[in-house]
C-alpha cells in the first residue's frame, strides 16, 4: 500500500477512535446532544421577549438562530484543545511512537472527528429551532452553503483549538479556549444588533469574525441580501486555518521530538 493510503487508513482509525470515545463518555454525549437544544430554548423563550432586533425587523428567533448554530458547534469544536492536551500529557503519544504511523494524523484525526461531531450538533440546534417556530426559506444551493459555512467554522475553531492545546501544558488550561469561543457570538451581531451596543463594543462586534459568519448564515437561511458578508466570513475562516495548521504542525513536532 502507498504511503498516502497508509496515512489515510491511520487517519480513519483515529477519527473512529475519537468518535467512539465521545460515545462512551455519557457526560460528553449528553452535552453534545442537550446543549444545542438548551441554548436554543434559552434564547427563544427566556431572552426572546425582551430583545428587539433593531432595523432588521426580524422575529427574534429568526435573528438569533445563526448565532446559536455557532455557539453549539463552536463550543464543541473548542473542546478539541482538551482532547489534544490529554493526548500530549497522558502518555498516548509515547505509545504512538512505537507504531508505524505518521505523527500528523494524531491532531488531524481530532480535527476531522470534531467537524463530524459538531456539524451534527449544529443540525440538532437547527432542528430544535424548527420545532420552536423557525422557518428557513433556503433553497438547496443555500442549504449546501449553510453546511459549508458551518463546517468551515468548526474546522477553523478545531484547528485553532489544536494550536491552543499544544501551547498549554494541562487539560485545565486547554479548557479555557472553549469559553472564548462560546462567548464570541455574544459579542457579535448575532444575539443583539450591533447598532444597539456602546461605540467601543459596537466597533469590536462589527470587526470580529463571528459577525460576518452570522450575517452570511442569516442571509442564506432566510433569503436575505448577503452583501460582502460571505466573502469576509470565508476570508476569516481560511485565514484561521492557513495560520494555525502550519504553526500547530511545528509545535507538534517539537513536543513529540525524542
Amino acid at each position: 500500500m502507498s504511503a498516502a493510503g497508509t496515512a489515510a487508513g491511520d487517519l480513519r482509525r483515529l477519527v473512529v477512535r475519537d468518535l467512539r470515545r465521545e460515545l462512551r463518555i455519557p457526560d460528553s454525549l449528553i452535552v453534545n446532544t442537550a446543549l444545542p437544544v438548551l441554548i436554543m430554548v434559552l434564547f427563544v423563550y427566556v431572552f426572546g421577549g425582551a430583545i428587539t432586533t433593531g432595523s432588521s425587523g426580524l422575529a427574534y428567533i429568526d435573528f438569533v438562530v445563526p448565532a446559536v448554530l455557532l455557539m453549539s458547534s463552536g463550543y464543541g469544536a473548542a473542546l478539541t484543545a482538551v482532547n489534544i492536551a490529554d493526548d500530549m500529557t497522558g502518555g498516548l503519544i509515547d505509545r504512538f511512537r512505537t507504531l508505524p504511523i505518521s505523527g500528523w494524523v494524531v491532531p488531524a484525526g481530532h480535527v476531522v472527528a470534531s467537524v463530524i461531531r459538531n456539524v451534527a450538533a449544529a443540525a440538532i440546534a437547527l432542528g430544535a429551532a424548527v420545532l420552536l417556530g423557525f422557518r428557513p426559506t433556503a433553497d438547496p444551493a443555500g442549504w449546501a452553503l449553510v453546511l459549508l459555512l458551518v463546517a468551515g467554522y468548526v474546522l477553523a475553531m478545531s484547528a485553532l483549538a489544536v494550536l491552543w492545546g499544544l501551547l498549554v501544558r494541562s487539560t485545565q488550561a486547554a479548557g479555557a479556549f472553549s469559553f472564548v469561543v462560546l462567548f464570541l457570538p455574544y459579542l457579535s451581531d448575532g444575539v443583539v444588533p450591533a447598532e444597539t451596543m456602546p461605540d467601543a463594543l459596537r466597533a469590536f462586534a462589527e470587526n470580529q469574525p463571528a459577525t460576518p459568519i452570522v450575517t452570511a448564515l442569516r442571509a442564506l437561511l432566510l433569503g436575505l441580501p448577503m452583501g460582502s458578508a460571505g466573502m469576509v466570513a470565508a476570508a476569516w475562516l481560511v485565514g484561521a486555518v492557513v495560520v494555525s495548521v502550519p504553526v500547530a504542525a511545528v509545535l507538534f513536532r517539537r513536543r513529540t521530538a525524542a
Side-chain angles (χ1 to χ4, degrees):
M1 183 180 292
S2 67
T6 300
D10 293 337
L11 178 61
R12 178 184 58 80
R13 283 185 284 272
L14 287 174
V15 170
V16 172
R17 163 193 171 255
D18 286 338
L19 294 175
R20 284 180 175 174
R21 180 172 63 177
E22 293 294 325
L23 293 175
R24 291 170 181 169
I25 303 174
D27 292 348
S28 296
L29 187 59
I30 291 171
V31 168
N32 288 335
T33 305
L35 183 63
V37 178
L38 292 176
I39 291 176
M40 188 65 68
V41 171
L42 176 68
F43 277 98
V44 173
Y45 285 129
V46 178
F47 299 148
I51 300 177
T52 62
T53 59
S55 59
S56 71
L58 294 172
Y60 189 65
I61 188 172
D62 295 331
F63 183 85
V64 80
V65 162
V68 175
L69 295 182
L70 296 194
M71 291 178 199
S72 303
S73 59
Y75 177 76
L79 291 177
T80 305
V82 176
N83 293 335
I84 194 73
D86 185 52
D87 281 355
M88 300 303 296
T89 60
L92 183 68
I93 298 301
D94 293 332
R95 289 160 55 193
F96 280 158
R97 283 179 179 150
T98 66
L99 301 174
I101 66 173
S102 301
W104 65 267
V105 301
V106 177
H110 283 296
V111 171
V112 174
S114 174
V115 172
I116 296 171
R117 184 172 60 248
N118 292 296
V119 168
I124 292 171
L126 186 59
V130 171
L131 291 176
L132 294 174
F134 180 60
R135 294 295 179 266
T137 59
D139 58 19
W143 280 115
L145 290 174
V146 167
L147 176 61
L148 181 64
L149 195 53
V150 172
Y153 180 73
V154 175
L155 175 62
M157 292 301 104
S158 300
L160 288 170
V162 167
L163 177 58
W164 178 254
L166 292 169
L167 283 171
V168 300
R169 298 289 174 169
S170 69
T171 55
Q172 290 81 6
F177 186 68
S178 62
F179 292 98
V180 176
V181 175
L182 178 63
F183 284 103
L184 194 62
Y186 282 93
L187 302 177
S188 72
D189 194 46
V191 176
V192 297
E195 64 193 45
T196 66
M197 299 177 181
D199 290 343
L201 192 56
R202 177 178 180 177
F204 175 80
E206 290 176 343
N207 294 282
Q208 61 117 320
T211 290
I213 299 171
V214 164
T215 301
L217 284 173
R218 192 180 290 139
L220 290 169
L221 289 168
L222 299 174
L224 301 174
M226 186 183 300
S228 62
M231 295 299 294
V232 175
W236 274 110
L237 297 179
V238 171
V241 174
V242 168
V243 170
S244 59
V245 168
V247 176
V250 171
L251 288 174
F252 185 80
R253 283 197 298 270
R254 287 181 178 178
R255 289 197 58 181
T256 56

